[in-house]
Amino acid sequence: MAQTRRFELAISPHVGSPQTTRKIMFDVVIALLPALAAATWFFGPGALLLVALSTATAVGVEYICLKFMKRPVSFAFDGSAVVTGILLAYNVPPGVPWWLPVLGSAFAIAVGKQAFGGLGHNIVNPALLGRAFLMASFPILMTAGWAAPESWRTGEDCGWDTNAIVQEELAILPGADAISGATPLNVLKQTFDLDESSRTALAEGETEVAAELEARAVSTRSALSSSGTYANLFLGRRGGCIGETSVLLLLIGAVYLFARGVLEPRLPLSYLGAVAVFAWIFGGSGWFDGDPLFHVLAGGVVLGGFFMVSDMVTTPVTPKGRIIFGIGAGLITMIIRRWGGYPEGCSYSILLMNLVTPLIDRFTKPKVFGEVKSNG
Amino acid sequence: MTKPSTFRGGTHPPGHKDLSSGSPIVRLPAPEVVTVPLCQHLGAPSKPVVTKGDRVVRGQEIGAQNGFISLPTHSPVNGTVKDIKDLPMPHRRSGPAVVIETESEDGGCVFEPWSDHASHSPAEIIDRIKQAGVCGMGGASFPTYVKLSPPPDKTIDTLIINGVECEPYLTADHRLMLENPSDMILGMEMLAYALGVERCMIGIEVNKPDAIELLESMGVSVVPLKVSYPQGAEKQLIDATVGREVPAGGLPMDVGVVVQNVGTAAAVACAVRDGMPSMRRIVTVTGLGVASPGNFEACVGTPFSDLIEAAGGYSGDVERLISGGPMMGMALFTDGVPVTKGTSGVLALEPGEVREVSEGPCIRCGKCVDVCPIRLTPSIIATAAEYERWTIARDFGALNCMACGTCSYVCPSGRYLVHYIKRAQDAIRAMGTGKEA
Ligand code: SF4
Ligand code: SF4
């Protein structure tokens, strides 16, 4: 009989798939990079710098928090802080001072993530919580820091034709000329205000003024729904937050994630689908006359759909729950866009849905194998 | 060929079957000393009926059946009983075993050989299968005769032979189907006869095209199955082959099906036709940690170290020794444990083959939910178990988990999901409020 040998014990299974949390996080970082190129192209190196500062802050603050709480500091380098840092910067306007994303990023990590117990334990998306914090604390900076695309290079105030038309149309509104490189969603929101003013004018019997206001609203909306606008939105020539500019480059990142098996399609598709459907139903001035394509391309829903609605930690794990989450976030996004106090509702909608994620998981518990038939 | 059938969920770990799938079965002689466990089957261990110093002959009953879910145990050799004591086991920490010094390994036909099983009643066949100590050879080692004796209110209409072998690395069943298909087919006919069913089929994953072709050419009804783990789990196999969903908490017989492994079918043939108790089995010895992986037919009680030696000995740095497959097999602390009727494989894995464990927090990626063949929510059950929230674990169906390990396999955070879920199961059962469905 051969000499017996001793071995280490371990729990089965003894093999594991090669995918790890760290690899997933770095895949997300890679998928976010094309959009960074777009941000740099359209908004200049300043945007790149903001992203870099935000990311460095996120990792730094995570490290300090872990150290402080005597937890393994290696978690700071698992890539999740990098993702949060990038996303926070992607959600601020390009024209903000450098300390704003730094502050937001620090808040996101310290309060949005580590206070809850770190990766996997946070209830809401840390980057979006950081952004909400900035919105609440610095509302002016967060809504006025828009830059016209490519203006940093061309020196022109606005390189976007449609925007110019819109500027003209809106000149009638008090204070409207202060909008420089406003986002397309701002413009849309203004047309709803025009509708409102028109109705007021009508009520006061000023038929002519009412008709003129209404005509401006209609022509502005048709300018927004033109193929030129679509192309600009798709390529990224628009005002907006740093990361949301180029739909094309965001999609390239999304395809990469999907190919790597990191992106689960239910969440983003149900979200974007819901945005499109609700946009059509009530995203225009009346009912069933909205422009789904404009609403999907404009603002942050593509960024949000593929990188924040799809955030694993803060969204449901059940297949049905994911679809419900996507539809719910899409509905809230469109309600805010149409009737809310802000032109864009993407990030708040996701935050709100994050809060009900545990509830969704509970109520969408999949039917266990054999349960259906045994009960029948 | 039509699209191979499958079940919902599952994953596809690398097979590594080519290490040993081309090696014909080598019959190993009995070692000088055999350590015959009395607890090879699921259920109560058999009661020893020999004492130290007794001479035993091959095939002689050395342990008597001890209850309904239990089986007798037979000596695989002629020799002398040296000792009866608790020893380390491959499938549990330790268990009672009879240590026999081998003199020779001939004879052994202790029952009357029945060349024509159809001239005996199904009850006689089932009794023979029990007397011969045949248990499931796919891994769970459930006494075969029990599965053949359904309560009168259950009507069985289908027999499924499990030739899936979905665990990576293992090739014992594959080689058996290639090298001894006639015994397997005969055993299948006997099982069908004992159950009184007409409809029988064999499920084989399409990564064994040679076996599928051979058995089809011999007139067996083969259901080709997609390569997906755990295709060979009973409930998944039944779903994939006949499209019936075994009720949660129920048994295959609840949907009129009995599943038996290919090795079990061959053992049945030996027991009925040759009058031989179940004393030998085919074991795949493989992994990069052995020099020349292969398939061996060894008698029960053969120490794993002998099998490793037969496979050329250890090569390189062995990180882990496993009894069974890498998904559900047990890690061993010693290679001094004996082969049992349920030992399908011995794996010596190098560091690169074994998953590196560094458990992280659940990032709620949902991969475990997508792959669970029972459609559980492993992440939530495991987290609930971590915080000892047993009712949540129960509500999410923890008791239905079959510990297949698919969820742990895919988890990017390396969470010990199966471990947590098993803990939850124990706690829920202890609470006594575990509703089964
Ligand atoms: S071990 Fe249990 S929970 Fe995990 S995949 Fe298998 S059945 Fe599902
Ligand atoms: S696979 Fe792991 S990390 Fe992903 S949800 Fe399941 S337990 Fe959590």
Side-chain angles (χ1 to χ4, degrees):
Chain A
M1 201 164 81
Q3 186 70 35
T4 62
R5 244 172 92 161
R6 304 272 148 175
F7 302 90
E8 292 285 314
L9 289 183
I11 316 173
S12 66
H14 306 282
V15 288
S17 83
Q19 201 163 48
T20 62
T21 301
R22 177 186 273 264
K23 281 188 201 161
I24 289 177
M25 292 301 168
F26 281 106
D27 270 340
V28 176
V29 172
I30 291 170
L32 282 167
L33 290 182
L36 184 56
T40 313
W41 173 261
F42 290 115
F43 301 130
L48 183 65
L49 189 69
L50 291 182
V51 175
L53 278 174
S54 173
T55 309
T57 308
V59 176
V61 171
E62 176 121 309
Y63 185 90
I64 293 166
C65 287
L66 289 167
K67 193 107 195 166
F68 191 67
M69 296 190 289
K70 299 199 169 53
R71 301 183 38 200
V73 288
S74 60
F75 281 136
F77 309 107
D78 64 12
S80 62
V82 178
V83 171
T84 300
I86 295 178
L87 283 179
L88 187 281
Y90 275 19
N91 278 290
V92 300
V96 298
W98 65 268
W99 51 265
L100 197 78
V102 167
L103 195 65
S105 185
F107 185 89
I109 294 292
V111 179
K113 187 175 173 193
Q114 289 301 335
F116 285 94
L119 178 67
H121 300 289
N122 47 300
I123 312 282
V124 297
N125 190 315
L128 290 180
L129 192 70
R131 177 184 182 275
F133 162 74
L134 294 180
M135 277 296 263
S137 316
F138 309 97
I140 314 276
L141 281 177
M142 284 296 284
T143 47
W146 310 117
E150 294 180 80
S151 57
W152 65 281
R153 238 178 319 111
T154 57
E156 286 166 35
D157 187 42
C158 189
W160 187 34
D161 291 346
T162 317
N163 217 6
I165 302 167
V166 168
Q167 294 289 305
E168 212 172 280
E169 296 290 346
L170 290 176
I172 186 169
L173 279 179
D177 50 358
I179 304 169
S180 151
T183 73
L185 284 173
N186 270 332
V187 174
L188 182 71
K189 199 84 183 180
Q190 306 276 10
T191 73
F192 295 147
D193 294 345
L194 279 176
D195 288 340
E196 194 55 41
S197 318
S198 155
R199 273 192 291 274
T200 319
L202 198 62
E204 287 165 4
E206 300 191 46
T207 337
E208 241 171 72
V209 179
E212 199 194 323
L213 288 169
E214 190 50 34
R216 280 174 193 277
V218 170
S219 72
T220 306
R221 276 197 290 268
S222 77
L224 288 177
S225 292
S226 68
S227 57
T229 308
Y230 295 153
N232 281 331
L233 290 174
F234 188 70
L235 295 174
R237 289 167 51 79
R238 59 156 124 178
C241 291
I242 291 177
E244 66 192 26
T245 51
S246 173
V247 170
L248 172 67
L249 292 175
L250 286 167
L251 283 180
I252 290 175
V255 168
Y256 169 80
L257 279 191
F258 184 70
R260 297 277 296 169
V262 172
L263 187 72
E264 198 276 346
R266 285 188 196 95
L267 280 164
L269 295 187
S270 62
Y271 177 65
L272 294 175
V275 166
V277 169
F278 293 123
W280 172 67
I281 297 177
F282 59 75
S285 59
W287 291 96
F288 302 102
D289 67 349
D291 178 355
L293 189 56
F294 172 78
H295 274 288
V296 168
L297 293 176
V301 298
V302 172
L303 173 67
F306 288 107
F307 295 96
M308 293 180 296
V309 166
S310 310
D311 170 52
M312 294 164 172
V313 174
T314 54
T315 53
V317 291
T318 64
K320 253 193 229 144
R322 291 176 166 179
I323 293 171
I324 292 174
F325 185 103
I327 293 175
L331 176 63
I332 299 173
T333 299
M334 282 313 303
I335 289 177
I336 296 178
R337 278 188 181 182
R338 182 64 184 81
W339 295 294
Y342 298 102
E344 173 60 305
C346 177
S347 53
Y348 282 117
S349 73
I350 300 170
L351 276 178
L352 284 173
M353 291 306 289
N354 285 163
L355 292 175
V356 292
T357 289
L359 220 59
I360 298 179
D361 267 342
R362 284 223 77 159
F363 287 105
T364 54
K365 182 170 75 72
K367 277 247 179 306
V368 169
F369 183 96
E371 239 179 22
V372 196
K373 291 186 183 170
S374 71
N375 295 343
Chain B
M1 199 158 61
T2 49
K3 201 162 160 267
S5 314
T6 190
F7 61 97
R8 228 174 82 188
T11 187
H12 182 28
H16 298 292
K17 297 206 183 237
D18 45 353
L19 285 174
S20 57
S21 60
S23 311
I25 301 163
V26 174
R27 189 179 196 277
L28 299 181
E32 285 160 28
V33 176
V34 290
T35 307
V36 188
L38 293 169
C39 53
Q40 302 184 47
H41 48 269
L42 203 88
S46 37
K47 265 204 307 271
V49 291
V50 290
T51 48
K52 210 165 154 176
D54 281 1
R55 278 196 43 87
V56 292
V57 296
R58 185 162 190 251
Q60 179 182 334
E61 189 171 296
I62 53 175
Q65 187 185 358
N66 186 16
F68 179 60
I69 303 196
S70 180
L71 284 173
T73 304
H74 306 84
S75 168
V77 295
N78 304 310
T80 314
V81 176
K82 301 300 285 180
D83 210 348
I84 300 170
K85 61 176 173 188
D86 269 21
L87 287 166
M89 287 294 146
H91 55 306
R92 46 154 101 183
R93 284 197 82 78
S94 71
V98 179
V99 184
I100 302 167
E101 196 171 270
T102 308
E103 279 159 24
S104 62
E105 201 194 355
D106 44 22
C109 308
V110 292
F111 308 113
E112 183 197 337
W114 292 341
S115 53
D116 177 20
H117 64 268
S119 63
H120 301 267
S121 73
E124 282 179 293
I125 303 286
I126 294 171
D127 188 58
R128 167 62 60 85
I129 291 170
K130 172 168 82 175
Q131 297 303 333
V134 179
C135 64
M137 304 187 79
S141 307
F142 194 75
T144 300
Y145 94 92
V146 179
K147 277 190 178 180
L148 299 177
S149 323
D153 59 318
K154 310 273 182 211
T155 325
I156 307 296
D157 64 4
T158 306
L159 169 69
I160 300 171
I161 300 293
N162 188 346
V164 178
E165 205 165 44
C166 59
E167 274 270 10
Y169 288 94
L170 302 185
T171 55
D173 289 349
H174 185 191
R175 290 311 306 181
L176 172 69
M177 290 188 279
L178 288 181
E179 295 182 45
N180 198 358
S182 46
D183 269 19
M184 192 216 84
I185 295 170
L186 179 64
M188 171 165 139
E189 283 162 6
M190 290 166 173
L191 287 164
Y193 173 75
L195 286 164
V197 302
E198 295 283 314
R199 187 168 175 228
C200 46
M201 61 190 82
I202 172 163
I204 305 177
E205 276 187 350
V206 291
N207 59 2
K208 298 178 262 294
D210 44 358
I212 295 177
E213 202 178 311
L214 177 65
L215 291 173
E216 270 177 346
S217 75
M218 295 175 79
V220 179
S221 149
V222 177
V223 184
L225 299 168
K226 194 181 143 193
V227 182
S228 178
Y229 182 88
Q231 191 71 263
E234 269 190 349
K235 292 181 179 185
Q236 278 55 47
L237 178 61
I238 294 169
D239 187 15
T241 48
V242 294
R244 295 181 195 169
E245 219 173 279
V246 178
L251 292 169
M253 61 172 69
D254 294 331
V255 292
V257 177
V258 166
V259 179
Q260 296 287 357
N261 165 269
V262 287
T264 315
V268 164
C270 289
V272 177
R273 180 195 56 200
D274 309 333
M276 279 279 198
S278 168
M279 304 177 293
R280 285 189 153 261
R281 71 153 298 139
I282 303 162
V283 185
T284 302
V285 184
T286 185
L288 293 180
V290 291
S292 41
N295 303 285
F296 302 91
E297 197 212 278
C299 65
V300 298
T302 305
F304 279 20
S305 50
D306 280 20
L307 289 173
I308 298 282
E309 209 168 274
Y314 293 112
S315 76
D317 184 11
V318 180
E319 163 97 7
R320 197 165 301 167
L321 187 72
I322 298 162
S323 168
M327 295 296 285
M328 291 184 78
M330 289 260 293
L332 302 173
F333 70 94
T334 167
D335 57 10
V337 297
V339 170
T340 72
K341 292 170 195 170
T343 308
S344 48
V346 178
L347 269 53
L349 301 186
E350 287 201 333
E353 296 178 274
V354 177
R355 135 164 276 181
E356 285 170 43
V357 276
S358 63
E359 192 185 29
C362 169
I363 56 165
R364 299 176 43 86
C365 67
K367 288 181 194 300
C368 55
V369 185
D370 290 339
V371 299
C372 175
I374 303 289
R375 301 198 285 271
L376 301 177
T377 313
S379 58
I380 294 181
I381 301 176
T383 307
E386 253 185 313
Y387 295 99
E388 309 202 341
R389 305 279 296 272
W390 308 123
T391 39
I392 296 181
R394 186 196 60 202
D395 292 348
F396 274 89
L399 288 182
N400 293 292
C401 170
M402 57 175 176
C404 65
T406 316
C407 51
S408 301
Y409 175 85
V410 298
C411 177
S413 257
R415 310 234 326 133
Y416 300 115
L417 295 170
V418 188
H419 171 73
Y420 293 124
I421 298 171
K422 279 187 184 163
R423 268 193 58 199
Q425 289 183 332
D426 292 344
I428 295 166
R429 294 208 176 99
M431 287 193 326
T433 49
K435 51 173 186 180
E436 271 294 324

